[in-house]
Amino acid sequence: FVRGWRIVIGWSLISRTHHCNKLRITFTAFLSNPTMSTAFRSCFVLSGFILAYITYLILGALVFSAIERPVEETLKSDLNSLKAEFLNLSCINATALEGFLERVLKANKYGVSILENASLRTNWDLASSLFFANTMVTTVGYGHTTPLSDAGKAFSIVYALIGVPFTMLVLTACVQRLMHPLTYGPISMCQQRAGLHPRAAGVVHFIVLMVLVVLGFFVIPALVFSAIEESWSFLDAFYFCFISLCTIGLGDFVPAEKPGQRLRALYKISVMVYLFVGLMVMFLVLRTFHKLADVYGWTAFFQLPSCEEEDEDKEPILDRKPDDESPEAEKASIKQRDPSSQVSYNSING
């Protein structure tokens, strides 16, 4: 009986070892494929960047909330005491009124209101702190909420010093991965299926891309914001979307700031996602326009630097002709295009 169980266990171990070896060989073959291994490594690095970026935002929000929330509570308490003292005055003179208004306006500049409905919410809970950190590192910076303490201001300097380049790095990495499916692929399809000239295909693609971006990131979000924010008209909401995605951030319109806002935390996080994806799409539009300018020779005409290809962007959208594989053709493709020269979309394929 014992010998039988030993035989069964032995065969089980052998079969598991054989199965593991097959999986190891399959995974090794997958990694040995240059194209697959590069794509896998690229996606893995990009996922790590995005995860690290989210972690950076959350850590910053926790620090901001820990530093600023007690200071905000103290300021609110002082304002309530000042309001009670002002209401108890039997005779209000100009000096007392001016002193009261000065304190109130100064607190309002930091996002702290003396109104009863507005004082019930805080500007430094986790969701609000996360929103503040996001607007800081994306350089949108509405300015409706600012650090109250010296420690918060010092931490903002260090946080932005690291966060702004980090954000640009993540946005650039995401746009590089989107250039093929959203720019090179559609242009190649227009050339191959519709038989369009490379320049005409580039113009058609850019127009379609602009229409989709305006609809998807300006018109539709403006309709949503105007429905949620009761005091916003469609023009106000469209204005907010444009100012935000252009990173102007005037701060005259800020979502989720009215008293009694339902699901305020979820609303703020949704706006954060919209801002990040919208900035990424705006960056994609700029890169596509730069590629189009290279094709038409505008960058050479105005003596501007051409949009150089990264390693991820060197896959051509069209097959090269046999005579283009010569060293002379490779050297010619590296040279900057002259406005009067005949160009094709191969110039943006590397």
Side-chain angles (χ1 to χ4, degrees):
F1 178 77
V2 174
R3 183 181 299 175
W5 273 109
R6 287 179 179 177
I7 294 174
V8 171
I9 294 174
W11 276 108
S12 176
L13 291 176
I14 292 173
S15 61
R16 288 185 180 181
T17 303
H18 180 67
H19 182 66
C20 291
N21 288 335
K22 289 178 64 179
L23 290 177
R24 181 176 57 83
I25 293 173
T26 303
F27 187 70
T28 303
F30 172 78
L31 293 180
S32 62
N33 189 336
T35 304
M36 298 301 294
S37 62
T38 302
F40 178 79
R41 184 167 59 251
S42 177
C43 293
F44 181 77
V45 172
L46 181 60
S47 301
F49 270 145
I50 296 176
L51 182 61
Y53 183 71
I54 295 174
T55 304
Y56 186 77
L57 289 178
I58 294 175
L59 291 177
L62 291 174
V63 174
F64 278 120
S65 181
I67 295 176
E68 298 298 329
R69 192 162 186 174
V71 181
E72 183 190 39
E73 295 297 332
T74 302
L75 182 57
K76 285 183 178 180
S77 178
D78 294 342
L79 280 179
N80 290 330
S81 301
L82 180 65
K83 180 180 178 181
E85 292 177 2
F86 183 79
L87 293 176
N88 290 330
L89 292 177
S90 57
C91 181
I92 300 176
N93 53 32
T95 303
L97 179 61
E98 290 179 358
F100 176 75
L101 292 177
E102 182 181 359
R103 293 281 300 276
V104 170
L105 293 176
K106 183 178 180 180
N108 189 70
K109 184 180 69 173
Y110 290 102
V112 179
S113 176
I114 199 174
L115 300 177
E116 184 176 357
N117 291 334
S119 62
L120 296 177
R121 61 178 175 82
T122 176
N123 293 321
W124 297 105
D125 57 351
L126 181 59
S128 300
S129 300
L130 198 60
F131 185 78
F132 172 77
N134 181 68
T135 56
M136 175 182 292
V137 297
T138 55
T139 69
V140 175
Y142 295 117
H144 66 294
T145 302
T146 56
L148 302 171
S149 63
D150 293 338
K153 295 173 184 176
F155 179 73
S156 298
I157 296 174
V158 177
Y159 189 75
L161 190 64
I162 301 174
V164 172
F166 193 12
T167 302
M168 296 300 105
L169 178 64
V170 174
L171 287 174
T172 303
C174 292
V175 170
Q176 286 177 356
R177 273 68 177 182
L178 292 176
M179 284 297 290
H180 278 291
L182 298 182
T183 298
Y184 299 134
I187 291 173
S188 176
M189 187 180 300
C190 290
Q191 295 181 41
Q192 294 177 356
R193 296 188 179 183
L196 295 178
H197 189 270
R199 291 188 175 185
V203 172
V204 170
H205 166 262
F206 186 74
I207 293 175
V208 173
L209 180 63
M210 285 297 300
V211 171
L212 293 177
V213 168
V214 170
L215 289 176
F217 290 89
F218 291 94
V219 176
I220 295 177
L223 291 173
V224 174
F225 282 122
S226 61
I228 297 176
E229 302 287 341
E230 298 176 356
S231 61
W232 290 16
S233 64
F234 175 78
L235 179 60
D236 294 335
F238 192 92
Y239 166 82
F240 163 76
C241 295
F242 180 82
I243 293 298
S244 299
L245 296 187
C246 292
T247 67
I248 299 173
L250 296 178
D252 47 352
F253 290 95
V254 181
E257 289 300 313
K258 70 177 182 180
Q261 176 71 57
R262 296 181 57 187
L263 302 176
R264 184 168 179 262
L266 180 61
Y267 185 22
K268 279 187 172 289
I269 294 176
S270 301
V271 175
M272 282 178 48
V273 175
Y274 162 72
L275 289 177
F276 182 81
V277 177
L279 290 175
M280 184 170 57
V281 171
M282 294 295 287
F283 192 15
L284 176 68
V285 171
L286 291 177
R287 280 184 59 85
T288 304
F289 179 77
H290 200 169
K291 299 291 186 183
L292 188 64
D294 286 344
V295 171
Y296 274 84
W298 298 337
T299 52
F301 180 78
F302 291 103
Q303 298 183 354
L304 299 174
S306 61
C307 192
E308 298 179 355
E309 294 295 331
E310 289 80 6
D311 292 338
E312 295 83 3
D313 294 339
K314 288 186 177 179
E315 179 183 350
I317 58 176
L318 293 176
D319 293 332
R320 296 191 177 194
K321 297 180 181 179
D323 56 353
D324 290 341
E325 298 177 356
S326 60
E328 291 77 8
E330 294 180 0
K331 293 180 180 179
S333 64
I334 299 175
K335 293 182 180 179
Q336 194 173 19
R337 294 286 180 174
D338 187 81
S340 60
S341 62
Q342 180 69 24
V343 291
S344 68
Y345 245 82
N346 285 331
S347 61
I348 67 172
N349 300 327

